[in-house]
Amino acid sequence: MKNVEHIGIAVKSLEASNELFSKLLNRQPYKQESVESEGVNTSFFQNGETKIELLEATNPDSPIAKFIEKKGEGIHHIAFEVEDIIAEMERMKSEGFILLNETPKRGADNKLVCFLHPKGTNGVLIELCQSI
Ligand code: CO
């Protein structure tokens, strides 16, 4: 496990939150990207070594829509950079963590990602991500 690569924040409106975070961080998002398989529109702000990822649902069945329904807007996940995602996934599994996907999947911002079930991580959704 390396640095915190990004913090994911669930928002109702990407447009409104882009404006808000642009003011907060005093910079514009460097990219916007839709991940259809996840039902999300995302935008990314670079802030030092760490990024902020804003996530907006594209449909009512999106995990982000369900998250906001349950908890409201707010921090959705913390993503750690890893060098070898397969090896880290194996290690996590052997430590008893529950993986939400058994094989790495293609995430936003040119990453291979795997999520750990928040049940096993004190309620915090953890993302492992490897740059590709
Ligand atoms: Co993420």
Side-chain angles (χ1 to χ4, degrees):
M1 297 281 260
K2 292 161 70 179
N3 55 299
V4 172
E5 210 276 338
H6 64 269
I7 295 174
I9 299 175
V11 303
K12 286 181 183 164
S13 160
L14 200 59
E15 200 187 338
S17 296
N18 273 340
E19 213 172 294
L20 180 74
F21 276 81
S22 295
K23 283 184 205 160
L24 180 77
L25 301 171
N26 199 22
R27 60 174 60 83
Q28 298 295 314
Y30 69 87
K31 92 154 44 165
Q32 290 207 41
E33 193 179 339
S34 295
V35 185
E36 248 343 290
S37 57
E38 300 293 307
V40 293
N41 295 323
T42 65
S43 68
F44 286 87
F45 292 82
Q46 185 76 50
N47 197 57
E49 282 189 13
T50 306
K51 296 161 186 165
I52 299 291
E53 174 185 28
L54 302 180
L55 304 122
E56 168 197 70
T58 58
N59 66 71
D61 294 326
S62 160
I64 294 300
K66 290 182 178 148
F67 178 89
I68 289 177
E69 206 177 292
K70 255 180 36 193
K71 301 188 173 175
E73 293 180 296
I75 294 182
H76 177 258
H77 64 271
I78 297 179
F80 291 94
E81 174 121 57
V82 297
E83 227 152 71
D84 181 344
I85 195 163
I86 303 278
E88 278 299 335
M89 287 168 69
E90 282 306 316
R91 188 179 73 81
M92 293 296 168
K93 241 200 286 192
S94 71
E95 293 284 5
F97 293 101
I98 308 153
L99 307 183
L100 289 180
N101 47 297
E102 285 295 318
T103 50
K105 51 183 183 177
R106 189 74 193 255
D109 204 26
N110 304 313
K111 299 275 191 271
L112 286 175
V113 303
C114 176
F115 288 93
L116 304 186
H117 199 293
K119 236 191 325 193
T121 51
N122 287 147
V124 181
L125 179 62
I126 303 286
E127 173 187 338
L128 308 176
C129 66
Q130 179 190 323
S131 294
I132 46 176

